[in-house]
Amino acid sequence: DPKTGDIVPDGRGTELMPIQAMLASLGSKNAYFVDRYFGVSTKQAQALLQGNITRSVFRFGAPLHGFSSVEDRPHQQAELFKTFVRNELYPFLRDASDGSIDVRYYGDPLTSYEVEVSVWHDATYAIGSLVFIFCYLIWHLRSVGLALAALFCISLSFPLTYTCYCLVYGHGKMVAINFLSLFVVLGVGADDVFVLTDTWVHSRVQGSGDMALTRRLWSMYRKAGLAIFGTSATTAASFFANLSSSIGPLRQFGFFMGTCIAANWAITTTVYPLVLVGYDRRWAGGGSGRA
């Protein structure tokens, strides 16, 4: 720096500085780039110009090639840089370590991409959860049709929640961690289905026919509807509590999860009972057999 006389290791100088001087500066004034044992003072710097750790900072500027300024199609520039991070920078840094050197790295684009990769990888486990819940639904409900209808009702809560989310936060603001809501909503939705179905089956003692179906539907809502409303409301409230957080992604996750639970309750308690009534009318004879 011409004003202070300090050595600033930013790679923007016009002359190559002596290596010994650069190492001494790193040890005494720029400890950010080396480990704690590298030149603990100016006097010791000449004798301790070695270490096991070093650090480098690489800055990427804008506008990118082919753009006139930072304001020139900023979204397109951001997408191009994300593509560079995904296809070139991240694979290079990931594979840079070998037996003689351990490379650690971080940065906002890299961290965001790693989180996205990890979340998508974990989200694939939702397929296993879906298969298990589907098989258990078939066993519990004794009907493939009811099991498919139940999963359809539960899955409807996700696009409905995404629509509400886009209206509040805008399209493209979806954070990857929101996809983990699949795990939670599958479990909560399956519990609601079990409660509604068991209550519906037990109400068959009230007889058959259209009037009996009406009484049974009212009885199911009176008994099971209030129960699943209480559990869904408390679960949604616990997620909505994250809206008070100062961390943006946590607020978005809390809103998405709370809305997803509320949407699941609304769909399950309105659509699935109609499926039960239709199933009893068509296949269970209105009062015989199990749903």
Side-chain angles (χ1 to χ4, degrees):
D1 187 337
K3 297 181 180 180
T4 63
D6 296 332
I7 299 176
V8 181
D10 58 4
R12 299 181 180 180
T14 58
E15 298 180 0
L16 181 64
M17 298 296 295
I19 299 299
Q20 195 73 5
M22 289 297 300
L23 293 175
S25 175
L26 287 174
S28 58
K29 297 181 180 180
N30 294 279
Y32 175 84
F33 295 95
V34 291
D35 63 44
R36 57 182 297 189
Y37 301 108
F38 190 101
V40 295
S41 67
T42 304
K43 295 181 180 179
Q44 296 176 323
Q46 298 294 331
L48 298 173
L49 299 181
Q50 60 183 359
N52 297 323
I53 302 173
T54 187
R55 183 184 305 186
S56 300
V57 178
F58 297 91
R59 294 182 173 89
F60 299 90
L64 302 181
H65 180 70
F67 297 86
S68 59
S69 66
V70 178
E71 290 77 19
D72 181 15
R73 293 163 291 168
H75 295 293
Q76 188 174 347
Q77 292 192 63
E79 289 301 321
L80 287 174
F81 185 72
K82 289 180 181 179
T83 302
F84 163 72
V85 171
R86 180 176 62 252
N87 297 337
E88 299 185 43
L89 182 59
Y90 176 74
F92 174 79
L93 295 174
R94 180 193 58 198
D95 302 331
S97 300
D98 54 30
S100 60
I101 185 173
D102 183 20
V103 178
R104 306 292 179 90
Y105 52 88
Y106 72 92
D108 291 342
L110 287 169
T111 302
S112 298
Y113 179 67
E114 284 188 307
V115 170
E116 181 180 349
V117 170
S118 299
V119 170
W120 277 112
H121 176 268
D122 293 344
T124 57
Y125 291 112
I127 298 176
S129 301
L130 182 65
V131 172
F132 173 78
I133 290 176
F134 179 64
C135 293
Y136 192 83
L137 283 170
I138 295 175
W139 177 83
H140 187 84
L141 304 179
R142 302 295 193 269
S143 169
V144 176
L146 283 179
L148 288 173
L151 282 182
F152 177 74
C153 292
I154 297 171
S155 62
L156 278 180
S157 61
F158 198 83
L160 180 60
T161 300
Y162 181 70
T163 301
C164 298
Y165 182 88
C166 289
L167 291 175
V168 175
Y169 289 99
H171 182 68
K173 299 292 185 179
M174 185 74 163
V175 293
I177 196 174
N178 288 346
F179 290 98
L180 296 180
S181 61
L182 289 171
F183 293 98
V184 181
V185 76
L186 281 174
V188 173
D191 288 343
D192 294 346
V193 167
F194 294 149
V195 174
L196 289 172
T197 304
D198 289 345
T199 306
W200 177 256
V201 171
H202 293 156
S203 68
R204 284 186 177 152
V205 296
Q206 300 186 27
S208 60
D210 290 343
M211 291 302 297
L213 287 175
T214 303
R215 291 194 302 270
R216 292 173 59 191
L217 192 61
W218 168 249
S219 176
M220 182 184 66
Y221 273 121
R222 185 168 52 86
K223 296 178 181 178
L226 292 176
I228 62 177
F229 172 77
T231 57
S232 297
T234 54
T235 304
S238 66
F239 284 111
F240 281 134
N242 291 312
L243 293 174
S244 62
S245 173
S246 59
I247 304 175
L250 187 58
R251 291 197 304 271
Q252 296 179 34
F253 175 72
F255 175 82
F256 191 91
M257 275 302 315
T259 306
C260 196
I261 297 298
N264 172 76
W265 172 81
I267 296 173
T268 303
T269 55
T270 55
V271 178
Y272 185 69
L274 301 180
V275 174
L276 291 175
V277 172
Y279 182 85
D280 263 25
R281 279 181 169 177
R282 185 175 181 85
W283 286 286
S288 62
R290 174 167 182 181

